[in-house]
Amino acid sequence: MSGARRGGVGPVGRSTVRKAVPGAGGVGNGTSTAADDEATAEDGGASVDDRSEDGAGEAGAGEDGAGKGDGAGAGAAEDGGAGGSGGRRRTGRGTDRRRRRRRLLRWSATLLALVTVGGAGAGYLYYQHLNANIKSDKLNLGDAKDRAAETKANEAGQKALNILLIGSDARDTVENQQLGGAKDTFNGTPLADVQMLLHVSADRSNMSVVSMPRDTLLDIPKCTDPDTGEVFRSLTREITNSSLGRGGPGCTVATWEKLTDIHIDHFMMIDFAGVVSMADAIGGVPVCVDANIHSHTTTGKGSGLRLAEGTHDIKGKQALQWLRTRYGFEDDTDLARAKAQHMYMNSMVRQLRSEAKLTNPNGLRKLAEAATRAITVDDGLDSIKKMYDLATELQKVPTERITMTTMPNRYDTVQTGRVVPTEDAGKLFRLVREDIALDGKDAAKATASPSPTVTDAAAADQDIAVQVRNGTYTDSLGAARGRASTVTEVLVGKGFTDARADTSPATTEKTTVIRYPSADLQADALRVAKALGVPAGQVKQSTDVSGVTLFVGADWRSGTAYKAPVEDDKTPTSAETMNAADTSQCMHVDPAYSW
């Protein structure tokens, strides 16, 4: 990983402006001392006077910097300008007044220029200081074939945003080890114990958050570490949180894209210490439990969270305990932990949008410091300006249009305690991919999806080579035998005499799909789809195949006529939606962990 950027802001030296404008930043009320210089370096050059906390937050000349000057300009002009003529004879009272006015203007303009430049300099230094805090890494470490296509703009030219939020359990510092426990894993391979996909609609009218339980089993693609060049081979049925240790957060992004076919634009990753510092900067987030809770077992497991029944403002270490609590909430599983995390995030959103103190410069400065130090982002968010622009987009979404969900899942039949995505998960991902609001409040679609653009004509049916594969395997039903041969016979009967059945073991395709490798075969693939009644939306370009290939999916386990699944745009109930504006949320406590 690239780690924190170097540079920062060092001591700024002695100040030459003796009387600074409040909020100009970087200029104290007198010549700075060495101690002041050290404080300035630590704080990013924002202020050398501890009495002016707000100076850092107002980076730049600010409103006051443009014209007030705290009396400095006028004072300097009076003291230094009134007697500036020395021993010259006066030529008249009017002339002398005009000269004094000219001197006054010159002095005022000079002081104003110094103050403005000084303030802007401090603002720039603080801006650079915050930029230096930010750690960045590569967005996607997977192969091109596993990546999702970029999100297309809507008719108004707007594009949806998809951001992966990752919580790392790294014990890579003494502070993280103390907060996370497990001394034997100090400096070990980190795990992505929290994974949430944040989707912002193209028109910024709504936002959806989809959590994936850390115990989910899925396929992890091949990833390449951008720093060492180490190649991690692809894995099947692997626990999802291990993706982070395969080159960095970019492998977790690649895993999500392979599973969901949703293009991810950015990621943000935070560790234990980051959660604590952010919670402290916010000043506390209200949470609720319906009984006394102590998350602790006789064998030493549990987050250590201890709260009495009711609502509490939590911050610091206690906030981290809440987010990590598994033993004590509901059924003591990772699913309950995800629910608690949703409640915390919803409450934090409401807190940030309503908390008056965060509108003051010092509060914002503290939050900016904590945020930039706490998170690792992709290269597309590696500056204050980029993060500010993103925050501006997120703020456009009303709180009541933010929906939290958990990826629909069921317990695995082989690895007990692990979960796997269900068919409802595929539906949820489709809604996100197609930018359909999960709260059901989208306006009705005016028109159907446009037909794909075809640049070539299809060959004659008898000249189109089609390979047919059995993709009907599911964990619960296994594979439907003979499907490749049966559907091949259907194609031959329709005139596709060059169709061939692939006798390889059945794979898993939830929906029947036709894939083709290059644009010159698109028309042929669409012709096969039309003959079988397969929707054009299920025809995909893919470098995984060498020719037009029909994968008979789990939705066509029997019969010779394909019936396209009827899809509605309702969010599956198994996604357990939660609205960010709902203030009645309260976590149920397992009685075994109550006191």
Side-chain angles (χ1 to χ4, degrees):
M1 298 184 193
S2 56
R5 294 181 177 180
R6 299 185 181 275
V9 180
V12 296
R14 296 184 179 273
S15 170
T16 57
V17 181
R18 302 188 58 86
K19 194 80 171 176
V21 186
V27 226
N29 293 332
T31 305
S32 66
T33 63
D36 284 331
D37 286 344
E38 289 181 10
T40 306
E42 184 176 344
D43 293 338
S47 173
V48 295
D49 191 337
D50 290 339
R51 291 170 291 177
S52 179
E53 288 187 336
D54 290 354
E58 294 191 24
E63 293 180 2
D64 293 341
K68 292 184 181 178
D70 211 16
E78 279 186 36
D79 294 341
S85 58
R88 294 181 185 175
R89 288 180 62 112
R90 298 185 179 183
T91 57
R93 184 171 301 201
T95 303
D96 188 55
R97 276 199 295 266
R98 284 193 295 274
R99 286 176 176 170
R100 275 202 296 254
R101 281 199 297 272
R102 284 197 295 271
R103 292 192 193 101
L104 177 66
L105 290 171
R106 282 198 299 271
W107 273 98
S108 297
T110 301
L111 253 295
L112 181 61
L114 284 172
V115 168
T116 301
V117 172
Y124 176 74
L125 289 176
Y126 191 62
Y127 177 87
Q128 291 295 86
H129 162 73
L130 291 178
N131 272 341
N133 285 345
I134 300 171
K135 300 177 288 292
S136 66
D137 216 326
K138 190 174 178 181
L139 176 62
N140 193 312
L141 304 183
D143 286 349
K145 67 181 180 64
D146 293 318
R147 295 177 185 172
E150 287 200 24
T151 307
K152 294 182 179 179
N154 62 15
E155 293 180 356
Q158 303 164 311
K159 289 182 69 173
L161 277 172
N162 296 301
I163 305 161
L164 189 63
L165 309 179
I166 304 170
S168 166
D169 78 341
R171 273 82 168 177
D172 54 351
T173 65
V174 173
E175 184 179 8
N176 276 334
Q177 195 280 321
Q178 291 174 342
L179 291 168
K183 296 180 180 179
D184 57 323
T185 61
F186 181 73
N187 233 4
T189 304
L191 300 172
D193 274 359
V194 177
Q195 298 177 40
M196 298 182 180
L197 179 62
L198 188 154
H199 171 83
V200 189
S201 67
D203 62 4
R204 307 302 186 252
S205 67
N206 67 89
M207 183 189 301
S208 304
V209 179
V210 180
S211 285
M212 181 187 294
R214 72 168 189 174
D215 294 334
T216 302
L217 295 174
L218 40 72
D219 295 343
I220 298 179
K222 183 178 77 173
C223 292
T224 303
D225 189 310
D227 294 330
T228 66
E230 182 179 359
V231 177
F232 297 85
R233 64 182 179 84
S234 61
L235 300 173
T236 58
R237 287 177 53 80
E238 183 68 25
I239 187 169
T240 182
N241 66 355
S242 65
S243 60
L244 182 59
R246 297 163 55 80
C251 191
T252 306
V253 170
T255 301
W256 271 80
E257 287 205 1
K258 181 177 177 62
L259 172 68
T260 67
D261 201 26
I262 296 170
H263 177 78
I264 295 175
D265 301 285
H266 301 292
F267 74 76
M268 295 182 177
M269 183 173 70
I270 191 167
D271 59 13
F272 294 150
V275 170
V276 171
S277 64
M278 284 290 291
D280 283 340
I282 293 170
V285 173
V287 296
C288 173
V289 287
D290 66 0
N292 300 341
I293 181 175
H294 185 202
S295 177
H296 182 73
T297 70
T298 55
T299 58
K301 293 182 178 180
S303 69
L305 178 70
R306 187 181 180 91
L307 289 175
E309 177 184 348
T311 300
H312 306 267
D313 280 348
I314 59 172
K315 60 181 180 179
K317 184 176 180 180
Q318 202 170 44
L320 177 64
Q321 290 174 333
W322 175 277
L323 293 169
R324 298 188 68 211
T325 294
R326 174 173 184 164
Y327 298 100
F329 284 153
E330 299 190 348
D331 59 354
D332 311 319
T333 65
D334 196 51
L335 305 179
R337 171 162 48 194
K339 184 176 180 180
Q341 290 167 352
H342 290 168
M343 286 188 180
Y344 181 90
M345 286 185 65
N346 285 342
S347 188
M348 182 177 66
V349 168
R350 294 193 298 268
Q351 191 81 346
L352 285 172
R353 293 189 172 190
S354 65
E355 187 63 63
K357 69 182 180 182
L358 291 182
T359 62
N360 74 63
N362 194 47
L364 289 173
R365 179 186 68 83
K366 291 179 179 177
L367 188 57
E369 282 283 350
T372 54
R373 289 183 184 276
I375 63 176
T376 299
V377 297
D378 66 279
D379 295 338
L381 287 179
D382 60 356
S383 74
I384 290 299
K385 183 183 184 308
K386 293 174 182 176
M387 294 178 68
Y388 176 81
D389 289 344
L390 175 61
T392 301
E393 293 301 300
L394 298 180
Q395 287 173 357
K396 295 176 182 178
V397 181
T399 304
E400 62 272 15
R401 295 295 311 277
I402 300 175
T403 304
M404 301 278 178
T405 65
T406 299
M407 179 196 75
N409 60 83
R410 62 171 177 79
Y411 283 107
D412 187 59
T413 56
V414 179
Q415 297 190 42
T416 57
R418 306 299 191 205
V419 300
V420 292
T422 63
E423 290 186 10
D424 279 354
K427 179 179 180 181
L428 184 67
F429 295 144
R430 178 184 67 81
L431 296 179
V432 173
R433 192 165 53 245
E434 297 179 7
D435 199 20
I436 298 171
L438 300 187
D439 61 6
K441 296 180 181 178
D442 266 347
K445 294 181 179 178
T447 58
S449 299
S451 300
T453 302
V454 183
T455 58
D456 199 2
D461 292 352
Q462 67 271 18
D463 294 331
I464 298 177
V466 186
Q467 187 178 57
V468 183
R469 297 195 61 182
N470 187 346
T472 61
Y473 180 87
T474 67
D475 289 339
S476 57
L477 298 175
R481 294 186 177 182
R483 293 306 295 159
S485 297
T486 299
V487 176
T488 298
E489 291 175 7
V490 173
L491 279 171
V492 171
K494 290 180 177 291
F496 294 87
T497 53
D498 202 9
R500 298 288 184 271
D502 188 326
T503 58
S504 302
T507 57
T508 299
E509 296 287 347
K510 294 178 181 179
T511 305
T512 296
V513 62
I514 300 173
R515 296 190 173 99
Y516 61 95
S518 54
D520 61 313
L521 292 176
Q522 180 189 26
D524 291 354
L526 288 168
R527 172 63 193 134
V528 173
K530 185 176 181 179
L532 293 174
V534 176
Q538 291 166 221
V539 179
K540 310 284 186 182
Q541 183 171 352
S542 171
T543 55
D544 288 342
V545 295
S546 58
V548 176
T549 307
L550 166 62
F551 292 83
V552 183
D555 59 344
W556 196 6
R557 294 179 62 88
S558 62
T560 56
Y562 179 70
K563 295 181 180 179
V566 178
E567 294 181 333
D568 63 68
D569 293 342
K570 293 181 180 179
T571 302
T573 56
S574 56
E576 298 183 349
T577 60
M578 184 185 298
N579 188 276
D582 182 4
T583 58
S584 66
Q585 300 160 11
C586 198
M587 282 303 297
H588 174 63
V589 175
D590 178 353
Y593 292 87
S594 190
W595 50 274

